[in-house]
Amino acid sequence: MATRFEIVLHGANATSLRAAGEEALDEIARIESQLSLYRPTSEIARVNARAAYEPVRVTPPVYNLLKHARDLSGACERAFDITIAPLVRCWGFMGGTGEAADPKQLAEARECIGMAHVHFDDAKQTIQFDRPGVMLDLGAIGKGYAIDRAVEFLLEAGVESALVHGGTSTVYGIGKPMDGGAWKVAVANAFGTPNTDSIALPTITLENEALSVSAIWGRSFEKEGKMLGHVIDPRTGEPTQTAQLATVITKSATDSDALSTALLVLGQPGETTLKQTFPTIRTFIL
Ligand code: AMP
Ligand code: MG
């Protein structure tokens, strides 16, 4: 994830709030070390290195998260898919800011995409790939998952009012802020500042809910006048062009993170179907 997380806490006892906040941030750091494909010692890096050759055992939380990611993928027409990694690499977004993909490598990468290549053994809690070249990337769901775990820590510590934020793309509001209203979050424009001009971006209120934003800007490059960003349509192998920004609000930050990525890929035509599948989500798309 390699990203910045922040927690705003309100309450009477500053010492216990600070302790709870630090514990929650430690939990986020621990999860990053489990999930990052860039850390050679992470569970995901181990799966990526070995699962094509033998079943790889993972811890129960990671096993459950991978299964949940598989189910979400199925529920959103495969627009969200954690087997996206070979395509992310082809398009130069693995640690880079993107470049045109080589057609031969792109064709090879596309052969490795899809959760059908990932086999789960519930009894042994193992993951196995059915071919070499398959690689997992939890970049579209890991931040949300880490935020959900941090929120769990804070609630267990008795925190009643907090805002937990990661990487300017997912935020969770616990309870209400001090003034008693609701947590208000402004969706930023392409330049990372709250919108003040041309396009009407919303301010969203959150109470025990998460908001995630996915956008093609941030990590992107230009080719033939088009902005090609780091969110890739797993079904076509191309950086998505259907929308510029997608926002999903729901009870779970894991789900809002994954579904905002899916919505960016599905674009306006997919918004209605996504809402039919997940009736409680709120969405905004541009
Ligand atoms: P987000 O900012 O949450 O939309 O996540 C984007 C990141 O997830 C990218 O930088 C990739 O690492 C990865 N990714 C790109 N496209 C997809 C996709 N269609 N499904 C799942 N993960 C993706
Ligand atoms: Mg996401």
Side-chain angles (χ1 to χ4, degrees):
M1 290 178 276
T3 204
R4 185 187 167 89
F5 286 84
E6 289 169 323
I7 303 181
V8 177
L9 296 153
H10 283 310
N13 186 331
T15 313
S16 68
L17 283 180
R18 177 170 291 278
E22 279 172 5
E23 219 177 318
L25 287 171
D26 284 350
E27 175 67 359
I28 289 172
R30 199 184 61 75
I31 289 168
E32 174 163 22
S33 68
Q34 267 181 340
L35 300 186
S36 170
L37 87 163
Y38 301 106
R39 294 208 190 174
T41 53
S42 80
E43 292 197 45
I44 297 304
R46 230 163 32 83
V47 168
N48 285 343
R50 289 174 34 209
Y53 312 103
E54 59 185 336
V56 179
R57 197 184 167 98
V58 292
T59 55
V62 172
Y63 188 81
N64 292 336
L65 177 63
L66 294 178
K67 277 188 94 173
H68 187 56
R70 179 195 64 183
D71 295 346
L72 285 173
S73 182
C76 59
E77 301 166 28
R78 292 191 44 234
F80 162 80
D81 192 325
I82 57 168
T83 63
I84 200 77
L87 288 170
V88 173
R89 183 160 62 189
C90 254
W91 287 98
F93 290 115
M94 204 159 269
T97 51
E99 61 190 18
D102 169 71
K104 188 166 168 285
Q105 284 174 4
L106 194 57
E108 281 168 15
R110 289 188 66 191
E111 295 291 314
C112 302
I113 306 302
M115 288 306 285
H117 293 301
V118 183
H119 297 279
F120 293 84
D121 184 328
D122 286 351
K124 295 184 178 143
Q125 300 268 300
T126 58
I127 309 293
Q128 188 161 20
F129 300 154
D130 67 3
R131 51 163 297 153
V134 178
M135 203 194 323
L136 305 180
D137 172 0
L138 272 62
I141 191 170
K143 275 200 292 270
Y145 174 75
I147 287 177
D148 275 338
R149 296 290 75 79
V151 166
E152 242 175 50
F153 257 76
L154 295 175
L155 292 175
E156 273 168 25
V159 170
E160 289 175 355
S161 167
L163 197 69
V164 184
H165 155 251
T168 69
S169 63
T170 294
V171 58
Y172 190 103
I174 298 180
K176 297 174 190 291
M178 288 249 277
D179 65 11
W183 291 107
K184 290 194 187 77
V185 179
V187 176
N189 65 18
F191 307 101
T193 52
N195 186 64
T196 49
D197 44 42
S198 53
I199 320 163
L201 288 174
T203 295
I204 287 156
T205 54
L206 298 176
E207 190 178 335
N208 302 319
E209 280 173 312
L211 166 148
S212 293
V213 180
S214 289
I216 59 174
W217 54 69
R219 275 191 293 146
S220 61
F221 67 103
E222 263 195 50
K223 191 183 162 209
E224 291 156 11
K226 286 186 197 159
M227 195 196 268
L228 302 182
H230 62 126
V231 175
I232 298 168
D233 188 333
R235 304 157 306 176
T236 63
E238 305 284 319
T240 187
Q241 295 284 296
T242 44
Q244 289 183 51
L245 175 143
T247 298
V248 171
I249 299 124
T250 189
K251 291 281 170 202
S252 142
T254 310
D255 291 354
S256 65
D257 193 356
L259 294 180
S260 68
T261 307
L263 184 58
L264 189 72
V265 171
L266 293 168
Q268 218 121 40
E271 198 179 11
T272 317
T273 21
L274 202 65
K275 279 182 156 165
Q276 279 162 358
T277 313
F278 300 95
T280 58
I281 63 173
R282 289 187 276 152
T283 57
F284 173 80
I285 190 163
L286 199 73

